[in-house]
Amino acid sequence: MKVYFIGAGPGAPDLITVRGARLLAQADLILYAGSLVPEAVLEHARPQTPRYDTARLHLAEQRELYARARREGLTVARVHSGDPAIYGATAEQMQLLRELDIPYEVVPGVSSFTACAATLGAELTRPHVTQTVILTRASGRASPVPEAENLASLAAHRASLCVFLGGHQLEQNVAALLTHYPPDTPAALVQRASQPEERRHVATLGTLLDGLKLSEWTLTTLLLVSPALGSVEELETFSRLYDPAYAHRFRRAEKGGEA
Ligand SMILES: C[S@@+](CC[C@H](N)C(=O)[O-])C[C@H]1O[C@@H](n2cnc3c(N)ncnc32)[C@H](O)[C@@H]1O
């Protein structure tokens, strides 16, 4: 008997990993975060496998399901959106499983921030622009963000920055970011990346919210701001990795290049 924490990916059923899909197909019991994991992803499972939306269950109820699975020797798929390591409230479940002496394993997933970068057709790290990606979230009642990590202080790095779970306070977030990012920094909102309802809104940080109906962007939305989102022509900053004159362990430089 084992519990598999499976990263479902951003929502497209073919963006779960091969391992995640295989384990989902083998599971005897499924617990999933219904507010974020679309039904389509669960189609990897056998149709008759019992499944529980954890949005409706508190931890004690989940504990009871895990204890039952242990008694009955069931394999459990615990499905989280994106990657389970980020904003999944998985730590308390893992603690619970340790208390119940239930073995568990984590299967990583495609996080929504990489799915958002993909749909924007962007690389979040660009030489001489930024080589850092900051993942943060809006403070929530259930999970406050430590004061030392307030958004304005993170903005001071002017790195690529993604705000999760912040759709309900976009104005506050943009104002905090503008304390350090210049208003012409490229920014985007992506909602339900990879899903049929996906929406993108690309602008500069200073104009991002102009004319936007904020109430339409509250759920399953990621805010990205990054000088790296600028167009190639604007930035003209490339890595030297594929430069013909650049040599490394696996490739010689062309004549006239460095040794
Ligand atoms: C509880 S967090 C889970 C994050 C998840 N573990 C991950 O790695 O993407 C939920 C937040 O992730 C972001 N999110 C999740 N799926 C998304 C998607 N398909 N498109 C855009 N943002 C998404 C939103 O900011 C949403 O409020």
Side-chain angles (χ1 to χ4, degrees), residues 9-11 36 80-88 110-113 115-116 163-166 190-195 218-223:
L36 287 161
H80 283 271
S81 74
D83 185 279
I86 306 171
Y87 311 127
V110 175
S111 180
S112 56
F113 83 92
C116 292
V163 185
F164 288 70
L165 292 150
V190 184
Q191 188 169 56
R192 294 199 175 278
S194 86
Q195 301 177 26
T218 51
L219 292 178
T220 326
T221 297
L222 196 81
L223 165 58

Side-chain angles (χ1 to χ4, degrees), residues 104-153:
Y104 67 83
E105 190 178 316
V106 182
V107 180
V110 175
S111 180
S112 56
F113 83 92
T114 56
C116 292
T119 192
L120 294 171
E123 179 176 5
L124 297 179
T125 54
R126 298 281 294 274
H128 312 295
V129 178
T130 178
Q131 289 292 298
T132 302
V133 182
I134 296 175
L135 306 181
T136 189
R137 58 164 293 172
S139 219
R141 276 190 305 134
S143 314
V145 174
E147 179 44 37
E149 297 170 14
N150 73 70
L151 198 50
S153 70

Side-chain angles (χ1 to χ4, degrees), residues 203-219:
T204 62
L205 190 60
T207 59
L208 186 68
L209 304 183
D210 290 357
L212 209 66
K213 202 167 172 199
L214 296 183
S215 60
E216 290 180 355
W217 293 89
T218 51
L219 292 178

Side-chain angles (χ1 to χ4, degrees), residues 30-47:
I30 298 168
L31 277 73
Y32 69 104
S35 54
L36 287 161
V37 177
E39 291 287 332
V41 175
L42 301 185
E43 283 170 16
H44 290 289
R46 289 169 289 176

Side-chain angles (χ1 to χ4, degrees), residues 163-184:
V163 185
F164 288 70
L165 292 150
H168 60 292
Q169 52 175 68
L170 287 174
E171 282 171 306
Q172 256 170 280
N173 294 342
V174 168
L177 293 169
L178 280 169
T179 56
H180 290 288
Y181 288 93
D184 62 354

